Amino acid sequence: MTPEAKARQQIDQKLEQAGWVIQDMKQLNLGAAVGVAVREYPTDTGPADYVLFVNRKAVGVIEAKKDSAGENLTVTESQTQRYANASLKWRKDNAPLRFLLEATGQIIRFTDGTDPVPRSREIFHFFKPETLASWLAQPDTLRLRLTEQMPKLPEKNLRDCQISAVTGLEKSLALNKPRALVHMATGAGKTFTAITSVYRLLKFGGAKRILFLVDTRNLGKQAHQEFMAYTPPDDSRKFTELYNVQRLASSNIDPHSQVCISTIQRMYSILSGEPIDESAEDMSLNELQQIAKQEKFVRYNPAVPVETFDFIIIDECHRSIYNLWKQVLDYFDASLIGLTATPDKRTFGFFNENIVAEYTYEQSVADGVNVGYDVYEIKTEITQKGSELKAKEWVDHRDRQTRRKRWSETEDDTAYTGKELDRSVVNTSQIRQVIQAMKTAVETQIFPSRQETPKTLIFAKTDSHADDIINMVREVYGQGNAFCKKVTYRAEEDADSILSSFRNDYHPRIAVTVDMIATGTDVKPLEVLLFMRDVRSKGYYEQMKGRGVRSLDGDSLKRVSNSADGAKTRFVLIDAVGVEKSLKTESRPLEKKPGVALKDLLQGVAMGSRDDDTVLSLANRLVRLAKQLDAKAQARIEKTSGGIPVAELGKGLIAALDPDAIQQAALATAKAKGITRSEDTLLPDEIAAARAERVAAACVPFDKPELREEIESARREREQLIDHINLDQVTFSGFSEQAEAQAKGVIQSFADYIQQHKDEITALGFFYQQPYQRRALTFDMLEELHEHLSKPPLMLTTERLWSAYARVQAAQVKGADRKRQLTDLVSLVRFALGLDGELKPFANEVDRRFQTWIFRHNAQRGTAFTTEQTEWLRLMKDHIASSCSINRDDFDYAELADKGGLQKAWGLFGKELDSLMSEMNMELVA
């Protein structure tokens, strides 16, 4: 069978799956079905591969190509257009056909000729004929309605950030941008904003159905409640009285629903045919390891065709759109709208850097939407250094799951680190000391005037750890069961009812969670967060902290914490495991704290944050920086600022907050207005106005981005010389200053190249922009990228880049003495973009994944792989490490051919070979 014939066979199959009847001209019968696809239909420019008829009317054309033409399929568009404009034999109406498609056996591209600016897009599968019939019956297209028919947004009862988000999104959709990101701080009303957009898209945009995608069932419940509570600005009825909202709990989508709320796990289950364990919907994708069988790709489901949704709104999109789950988004022909408070580089890249709204934590605090926070540290000897159990000591041995104990001797000396606490070893004294220290700190320093324990949330490592904490909290506080409860998906009591009580009732005062309240769940009265677990993900940590940022008025706070003296003004993060330092978090608490990043203080002031803590923190940092900088750096800053030395910039901020000077300024302003005032009769508003004027004047220099960049640049230069937090890991000894400077130059050239070629590789775009099932193509992209990098004047080979990083950041670089492979470029780009904390050879990661994969495979098989099979799997693994993938053709390469090639491998594995290769490609590389 020729490649062309094979492609047509697959095209026919996909058309039939979508409900089309396929006919040759000799068997033409347009009455056979609603949709008929006629092969080789004659036109005055030659036979068209397929002409589509809906209700006997010619409506579209398909230009079919062999699979190898897929990489250049867009050039076929002119050919498709020619057939669409041609005269069809026996057709009286010669108007151009509306629907234009190009297809191989693998890829389909679609253009609607009546869109405002017709633009082709890739679709997962052919549309059903009934869908095209409904589009033909409409007077205009969805994209035309988004461009011309969206009325002005009523701004009443909307915050400025919400107005900006809705209008920014509608502007993006009008420009036919397929992906848009809404970045709004926790507590700013992302869901309310999204529902406002959903209402307008349904009512004015004429959207048929919208998918609201979440990653936990709990967030789905919350979203459903908000839809039920929403009242649109132009109608007194609730949203759910106007539109049918379905929260998906099975595989059946209500044909009458206009909004469908679903977890991405359930939607993946529907599309892949993989049964779902309901508990999978309860786990945040930050916590859920994606180990489903990789061969379970999503496949076409006629009950849920690709055109089911016009828009997909992805809540907490920073964590739910990668790996297996991304296939859900690839499947539907829908515009993607992401919502997140904590985007990372992958998020920006996935949404094509189309940020339609941005409302940061600093802005939300300045606006009173959220509150700031303090960090309180608790350190214990064992938390930091671990300890050792000697052999022959009598201790409890506890089963991890059943918690059954046995009293026996230890067999060997057991040394453990702080990271192993509460996993392999539980030290009850360590838990007791942390809880006691928290109790003392809250009662004597943090909230000394409170009569009751403020609402407190403790983050535990595991469910077992959570139980240990609960028992210790009750013991240390001398309280009963109601005082402290576990809120996790595995809790014996109903988690939702406990969460409701924690939010609204006096008890419980303290809740312990592993994951359920980590993200997205509102508990506004929370005033203390205790971290007894470390968190690797920067975004996840920001989400966890977000549980405490919500503001709350005085009356509402007093309902659950009666001795509170007013509205919630802050929360306190108690760090018992070094989580703040371990992450080098990008969080920006607006407080006088030495750990706040200087660039964030500068940005916060430039954005309008004028509270005392921010201004004083920036002032103190500038004064301190002035003492550290050399004369050249100080001169550059002074020149950029317009003649103000860096120390004076800091002193000016401090002087602006001088209470006496503010008072005198307020008196002078009152006198100028002819108002008689004394220090005792000044009004609060007059003092506030004087303060705002003085602080604004002192902050004017920081409006200049050049000055902010110059100050931050000077700080970075200074820190590069003194930033040796872990001396035995980070050291530059042995390299001359000239060699180190050259290495930094190489790294900077690499970073600059990435920055200047965003359209090619932003946030590893060649991984995240490719539909999931076509990631094997990325090796060709790597070759192309390496070719560009290694040419003059850059000359940035993988060897040169690796060597440069090894000199400048030795503690974070592994395998410097290894021979480089082309695939190591993947590791280099990920490290440069900050996606990986360590620079390790690509083959190392493949080796690690291979060990995990083969161990699991042997455990699941009736019999383990034989020694000879294992040896061949290792050869295949090595090929993947150097080439990103393996297929049948690769067995002609020397290292495999010398061992017997494809014939030998087939003899060992039989029909299982193809599935094993597919599984290894995904498990070891994706």
Side-chain angles (χ1 to χ4, degrees), residues 230-243:
Y230 181 86
T231 303
D234 57 356
D235 199 308
S236 60
R237 291 170 292 178
K238 297 292 186 184
F239 186 99
T240 47
E241 294 176 303
L242 297 166
Y243 299 104

Side-chain angles (χ1 to χ4, degrees), residues 502-663:
F502 187 48
R503 186 185 289 126
N504 302 310
D505 302 335
Y506 183 82
H507 277 135
R509 302 308 301 171
I510 297 177
V512 184
T513 189
V514 177
D515 45 42
M516 184 171 178
I517 317 182
T519 59
T521 305
D522 288 331
V523 186
K524 292 184 177 181
L526 259 183
E527 294 182 273
V528 178
L529 296 182
L530 170 62
F531 278 82
M532 293 188 72
R533 63 172 290 190
D534 203 351
V535 185
R536 298 176 192 172
S537 164
K538 189 178 296 181
Y540 192 37
Y541 178 49
E542 295 291 338
Q543 287 282 311
M544 294 167 82
K545 287 194 300 186
R547 300 318 96 216
V549 304
R550 309 302 175 98
S551 60
L552 190 64
D553 64 86
D555 290 340
S556 299
L557 182 57
K558 286 184 177 182
R559 274 199 288 271
V560 293
S561 297
N562 188 53
S563 61
D565 55 7
K568 178 180 174 182
T569 58
R570 63 167 182 161
F571 75 96
V572 178
L573 188 158
I574 300 179
D575 182 2
V577 290
V579 65
E580 278 270 304
K581 294 179 180 178
S582 71
L583 280 167
K584 305 295 184 290
T585 175
E586 289 181 351
S587 63
R588 297 169 285 274
L590 301 184
E591 305 289 343
K592 285 190 295 178
K593 297 294 175 185
V596 181
L598 175 59
K599 66 175 181 179
D600 297 328
L601 291 172
L602 289 164
Q603 191 72 5
V605 167
M607 287 181 169
S609 298
R610 297 291 187 265
D611 59 290
D612 287 12
D613 289 327
T614 300
V615 175
L616 284 175
S617 292
L618 178 57
N620 292 336
R621 197 68 58 82
L622 292 174
V623 171
R624 190 168 74 230
L625 187 64
K627 298 176 181 178
Q628 299 172 339
L629 297 179
D630 58 28
K632 289 183 179 180
Q634 297 216 37
R636 289 199 303 269
I637 292 175
E638 186 171 341
K639 180 180 178 181
T640 309
S641 68
I644 309 173
V646 63
E648 294 304 316
L649 288 169
K651 292 175 183 175
L653 293 172
I654 295 171
L657 291 172
D658 183 352
D660 293 332
I662 291 172
Q663 198 171 63

Side-chain angles (χ1 to χ4, degrees), residues 376 437-449 570 572:
Y376 188 95
M438 176 185 73
K439 181 177 186 293
T440 302
V442 169
E443 293 174 355
T444 61
Q445 299 177 56
I446 299 173
F447 293 106
S449 63
R570 63 167 182 161
V572 178

Side-chain angles (χ1 to χ4, degrees), residues 70-88:
E71 62 181 353
N72 207 20
L73 196 58
T74 54
V75 302
T76 310
E77 291 166 358
S78 58
Q79 192 175 351
T80 314
Q81 186 72 53
R82 177 165 58 85
Y83 286 124
N85 293 333
S87 296
L88 272 63

Side-chain angles (χ1 to χ4, degrees), residues 87 126 196 233 297 417 465 534 744 763 871 906:
S87 296
F126 291 111
T196 301
F297 292 122
T417 65
H465 186 214
D534 203 351
K744 287 182 179 178
E871 183 58 32
W906 187 266

